[in-house]
Amino acid sequence: MKLLISQITETPKELDFAETPDELNRLFSGENKDFSFPDPLRVHLVHYRSGADLFFHGRVETVVEGHCSRCLKSYSFPLEKEFDFVLAPDSTAAKNKELNADELGLSFYRGEEISLEPLIREQALLALPTRPLCDEECHGLCPRCGADLNEAECRCGDSHADPRMAVFRDMKLHQ
Ligand SMILES: [Zn+2]
Ligand SMILES: [Zn+2]
């Protein structure tokens, strides 16, 4: 979605639109395949201006497919994030060089229109968990036999199943 800056007025306006998740899917197509985005990002946005500063408040929603980092299974979860951001004209950036734009929660615009896709994409990224887990308690896969420990205990953790442990069992018996 692109917004003409001249259409942003002091009277708040509401807007509902969808962004394709293509760029997000590209981000997670290389080394990091933690998440994929099967659905569009649905966005509800309120925008208005105060002087040359543009204010945005809204919500982004979609469904994300995570790929559990422990058991490697895919699972779906809803992503929902509220956001606020302010865009100031780029000339202010030059004047306020000493101020850290990030700390102020400010970004900058230039030109006639604003492309909302990168801003929405960043909000979606911020809402993702640091690593995908199908469940906080996911037991993962056994590093030895690869069994899914959520479904059944494998016998690798059972010392009786490993003949190399026999020597320790014998030692205990003689103590
Ligand atoms: Zn898992
Ligand atoms: Zn095992």
Side-chain angles (χ1 to χ4, degrees):
M1 171 64 76
K2 286 188 174 163
L3 274 182
L4 279 172
I5 286 157
S6 57
Q7 286 178 342
I8 301 176
T9 62
E10 289 188 356
T11 310
K13 280 187 204 150
E14 291 190 46
L15 200 61
D16 286 281
F17 60 96
E19 292 287 359
T20 63
D22 296 355
E23 194 56 40
L24 283 166
N25 281 320
R26 241 193 304 281
L27 274 175
F28 289 101
S29 64
E31 294 269 287
N32 182 345
K33 293 193 173 56
D34 285 354
F35 302 101
S36 52
F37 296 80
D39 290 351
L41 308 175
R42 294 182 307 281
V43 183
H44 178 73
L45 189 72
V46 178
H47 60 73
Y48 61 95
R49 72 160 66 222
S50 175
D53 293 341
L54 311 178
F55 292 78
F56 300 86
H57 171 73
R59 187 177 68 242
V60 54
E61 283 176 84
T62 191
V63 169
V64 184
E65 193 169 290
H67 306 113
C68 180
S69 57
R70 287 189 199 148
C71 72
L72 312 179
K73 273 206 196 101
S74 293
Y75 65 102
S76 286
F77 63 96
L79 177 144
E80 190 179 329
K81 180 160 191 308
E82 303 239 352
F83 57 79
D84 286 287
F85 50 83
V86 184
L87 298 184
D90 206 14
S91 55
T92 324
K95 277 186 238 150
N96 295 346
K97 249 188 186 138
E98 285 117 78
L99 294 175
N100 184 328
D102 280 344
E103 280 173 22
L104 292 172
L106 273 179
S107 300
F108 301 99
Y109 70 89
R110 70 177 80 183
E112 306 281 291
E113 61 178 18
I114 292 167
S115 177
L116 292 172
E117 192 277 332
L119 298 163
I120 299 301
R121 190 198 326 146
E122 188 181 344
Q123 296 302 321
L125 284 170
L126 287 170
L128 289 172
T130 42
R131 70 176 182 146
L133 285 178
C134 66
D135 188 299
E136 286 293 325
E137 304 285 302
C138 174
H139 296 296
L141 302 178
C142 170
R144 276 201 242 166
C145 72
D148 186 341
L149 301 177
N150 297 307
E151 280 166 16
E153 291 259 325
C154 69
R155 294 189 50 91
C156 300
D158 179 351
S159 58
H160 298 281
D162 189 339
R164 289 169 298 180
M165 295 303 281
V167 60
F168 297 113
R169 281 199 299 276
D170 289 349
M171 279 169 67
K172 259 188 206 142
L173 282 177
H174 296 301
Q175 270 169 4

